[in-house]
Amino acid sequence: MKPIDILLVEDNPADILLTEEAFEEAHFEHRLHIAKDGVEALSFLRGEGPHAGAPRPDVILMDLNMPRMGGLEVLDILKEDESLRSIPVIVLTTSRAENDIWRSYNLHANAYIPKPVSVSEFVDVIRSFGNFWFTKVALPSRR
């Protein structure tokens, strides 16, 4: 099985490190790419500037609350862009606000996962995420 390309859009260095460690412990072939805000995520997805030649991710894991451009704004742009809208977007955020959940799904997020507080629960969430998205779900082929 070829590695899955995952774009993590997250501004918090501790959450980035925790996510990297959780993916390593989940034991499935992957390449994790990091964008630290929405502007960088769009640059990565469009292959602009330092991201020229970046791979099209199989899935995007995105926080909502970030500097420069937040996750909801990115989600809105992605789902309006014909070349990017087929990439599944999973919101992975500390927010449990009902309004954020509704807005994410109204903007066509594929799932909304509140970040667990404990490290072991976070690893379990990532393991479950990987098992579902990369062994059960049929993803569109890369173009």
Side-chain angles (χ1 to χ4, degrees), residues 1-106:
M1 185 170 117
K2 67 181 178 180
I4 301 297
D5 281 299
I6 304 160
L7 176 60
L8 174 65
V9 187
E10 172 64 65
D11 65 312
N12 183 315
D15 285 347
I16 292 170
L17 182 60
L18 182 60
T19 304
E20 289 172 331
E21 290 175 1
F23 271 110
E24 289 304 318
E25 289 186 33
H27 302 295
F28 60 87
E29 291 295 316
H30 69 282
R31 289 186 295 245
L32 188 63
H33 309 276
I34 311 294
K36 295 189 177 169
D37 59 43
V39 172
E40 186 179 355
L42 291 174
S43 177
F44 181 94
L45 291 164
R46 293 173 175 155
E48 298 171 343
H51 302 290
R56 177 184 171 91
D58 296 294
V59 67
I60 299 169
L61 280 175
M62 184 162 50
D63 191 14
L64 291 184
N65 302 311
M66 297 177 289
R68 296 200 303 168
M69 182 185 293
L72 291 171
E73 188 176 352
V74 174
L75 190 56
D76 189 32
I77 292 168
L78 290 179
K79 296 307 176 175
E80 291 295 322
D81 187 320
E82 191 173 313
S83 67
L84 300 174
R85 74 172 59 134
S86 65
I87 303 171
V89 178
I90 313 307
V91 174
L92 181 64
T93 185
T94 55
S95 174
R96 295 177 186 272
E98 194 67 28
N99 187 49
D100 285 340
I101 296 168
W102 275 103
R103 289 182 64 207
S104 295
Y105 282 116
N106 282 334

